[in-house]
Amino acid sequence: MSEPLPLHGIRVMDLTRALSGPFCTTLLGDLGADIVKIESVKSGDSARIWPPFEDDHSLYFEAVNRGKKSIAIDFYSDEGRAILQDIARKSDVIVENFRPGVLAKTGLDPVALRKDNPDLVVQSISGFGQSGPMSQYAGLDQVIQAMSGIMSVTGSDPDNTYRVGLPIIDIVTGIFSALGVTAALAGRAQMSTGLDVATSLLESAVAISVFHGQSTLSNHTVPVPHGNDHPVIVPYGVFATKDVPIVIAVGSDKHWSTFCKLIGLPNLPDDPRYVESGDRFANRDVLKTDLEAALVQKPAAQWMHAIREAGIPAGPIYTYDQVFQDEQVNALEMVQTVRRQDGSTLPLVRGPLSVNGQPTPVQSAPPTLGSGTKEVLESIGYTVDQIRNLANNGVIRLPDEAETGRVDARS
């Protein structure tokens, strides 16, 4: 993009690893923030050794660390902690996903840091929140999917529940955290101070319960899974056609009448079992049988075109290789290709936002461990001699020492 992005000039000190925190900071980087990823000098982000791999490159790591600079530091040395404090003093934002209280123990107490950097924003991400009996416990995506009720409504029936196929809680927690950061940046000008913002995997998971959670609170009902059908809107789900199944979403009475005419069942809306949305919900199984008897007369592509032309949402069930072949996905330029430090090319999915009509660009390939150490330290005032001495003493890792691929977990 030729115009500056909204977060241009904002420096983010990224103290996160694995998925939720890195997803937050990569979204901020997509919007123009300068992301300084702080990693251990010995092994780096734990995701660097997680499959799947392309040659020696962890694709798990690369999927959520685009557009960042990596600085590798010995966290446990006095000199290393002094570097962390120096970076924090020159940063607008710290994003961290330690257990509550650990950030201060590393020498980065937000209260102390704001004596020199009063506008500092600190975004904290934890498993179970900043307070409560489980606040010090580790939390991972599937554990939270289970505890939050999400697994209880995902699956074919109450006896067969599943995790969502993506680490959805890590992802939405990263999104909520990016929202928290941008809100704090917008608000600090009015408040004349930085803010501490926090969320957790558990809070994020409970927050997205929407109508399932509200029905439980208000009606004291316990939702159950409905397989590939929408839990409350009918007909809305997966339907068989002559060749492959498709998803059809009939969300209003007007669409219901239009849909029935389109598939050759113009009298179906007058059937007393299907007149109102509540009737259709109560008789969803027999209704699906009636609809599929008509839908299996034509192939999926023919139905999708006609249904979409009528203004009713419909779409295929893609595998991921089909996703990246889809003409609409390609028209949105969702995949951008960058070059890694070792010269190999890497196609990456871009961020989901556009600014002034232009998709946010992938700023750079995911960094190798320590590849930005020299650049970052020079930018905050360290001299060449200071940097060389720190490297010689094992406090930092310089770019020419950084491995271009996977880090040995034993190092």
Side-chain angles (χ1 to χ4, degrees), residues 377-400:
L377 291 182
E378 287 181 338
S379 74
I380 61 172
Y382 280 68
T383 67
V384 172
D385 287 341
Q386 286 176 313
I387 294 170
R388 185 182 299 113
N389 288 336
L390 289 168
N392 290 338
N393 292 331
V395 179
I396 62 171
R397 186 180 195 144
L398 292 178
D400 57 351

Side-chain angles (χ1 to χ4, degrees), residues 177-195:
S177 298
L179 173 62
V181 169
T182 52
L185 288 171
R188 70 181 183 177
Q190 301 175 13
M191 300 177 183
S192 300
T193 184
L195 296 171

Side-chain angles (χ1 to χ4, degrees), residues 1-3 5-6 30-31 329-336 349-363:
M1 297 180 69
S2 56
E3 299 179 2
L5 288 160
D30 289 340
L31 290 169
V329 173
N330 289 325
L332 293 170
E333 302 176 23
M334 287 301 301
V335 178
Q336 298 181 15
V349 176
R350 67 167 175 84
L353 298 175
S354 294
V355 178
N356 289 336
Q358 294 295 314
T360 53
V362 175
Q363 306 287 349

Side-chain angles (χ1 to χ4, degrees), residues 68-106:
K68 302 178 183 180
K69 301 181 181 75
S70 168
I71 176 170
I73 303 173
D74 179 359
F75 291 176
Y76 301 102
S77 68
D78 292 339
E79 292 167 297
R81 292 191 176 195
I83 294 171
L84 293 177
Q85 292 170 0
D86 288 339
I87 295 173
R89 292 187 186 101
K90 298 293 179 66
S91 296
D92 298 279
V93 179
I94 294 175
V95 182
E96 57 95 4
N97 61 354
F98 301 121
R99 293 191 313 277
V102 171
L103 183 67
K105 292 179 181 178
T106 65

